[in-house]
Amino acid sequence: MSEVAMSSEELLAVLAAVGHAQRLRILSELAGGRVYVSELARRLGMSRPLLYMHIDRLEKAGLVAGNLELSSDGKALKYFELTTFDLRLNIDTIVEAVRADEPSSGARDAADAKEKRT
C-alpha cells in the first residue's frame, strides 16, 4: 500500500482483512517468503477452500498477491506472497479516508448550486 490516502471503503477492507486470527496467521506465515497454496494450507493446518476464502479477503485488501507458475513437471502452482504495506491506524488515517470519499470541492459546489435551484 502506498502513502496515498485510502477511501473509507478501502480502509474498512484492510481492517476487516486483518481483523481475523486466521488471516493474521496467514500474513505471519507469508512474512517468511512466498509459499504455494498447498504448502501454506499444510503449514497452517487449514483446508485449501478455507485458505482460499481468507486469501481472497487479503488479496482484495491489497495485502497479498497470488501468481500461477508452472513447475518443472508441468503442474500449475499458485504462489502467494505479501505485498509491501505499512498499515498505520490513527485519527489522521480515519479523517483522510473520510475526506477521500467526499466529492472534490468543485463537484461539491456544483452539487450545492444544483440543489439550490431545485
Side-chain angles (χ1 to χ4, degrees):
M1 287 180 187
S2 66
E3 291 293 321
V4 176
M6 292 183 268
S7 69
S8 61
E9 185 176 321
E10 292 165 329
L11 177 59
L12 289 170
V14 170
L15 293 175
V18 298
H20 192 283
Q22 295 291 21
R23 290 191 284 273
L24 290 179
R25 289 180 62 220
I26 292 166
L27 292 173
S28 180
E29 193 63 41
L30 291 175
R34 69 189 201 114
V35 181
Y36 72 96
V37 73
S38 294
E39 175 64 20
L40 186 57
R42 275 193 293 277
R43 289 183 190 179
L44 296 169
M46 186 181 300
S47 71
R48 285 179 42 198
L50 182 59
L51 176 61
Y52 271 115
M53 182 196 73
H54 288 300
I55 287 280
D56 183 59
R57 177 75 61 98
L58 292 167
E59 275 188 302
K60 286 179 180 172
L63 303 175
V64 302
N67 297 307
L68 268 179
E69 296 182 18
L70 288 178
S71 67
S72 57
D73 63 354
K75 283 181 163 180
L77 300 175
K78 181 87 179 214
Y79 282 87
F80 288 99
E81 62 188 333
L82 292 177
T83 61
T84 302
F85 66 90
D86 182 18
L87 179 59
R88 295 172 192 259
L89 181 62
N90 57 36
I91 191 59
D92 293 334
T93 309
I94 294 167
V95 169
E96 287 175 17
V98 171
R99 282 190 184 142
D101 293 342
E102 295 173 356
S104 66
S105 61
R108 191 174 33 239
D109 292 344
D112 289 345
K114 182 179 179 183
E115 187 176 308
K116 287 179 183 174
R117 288 191 302 259
T118 58

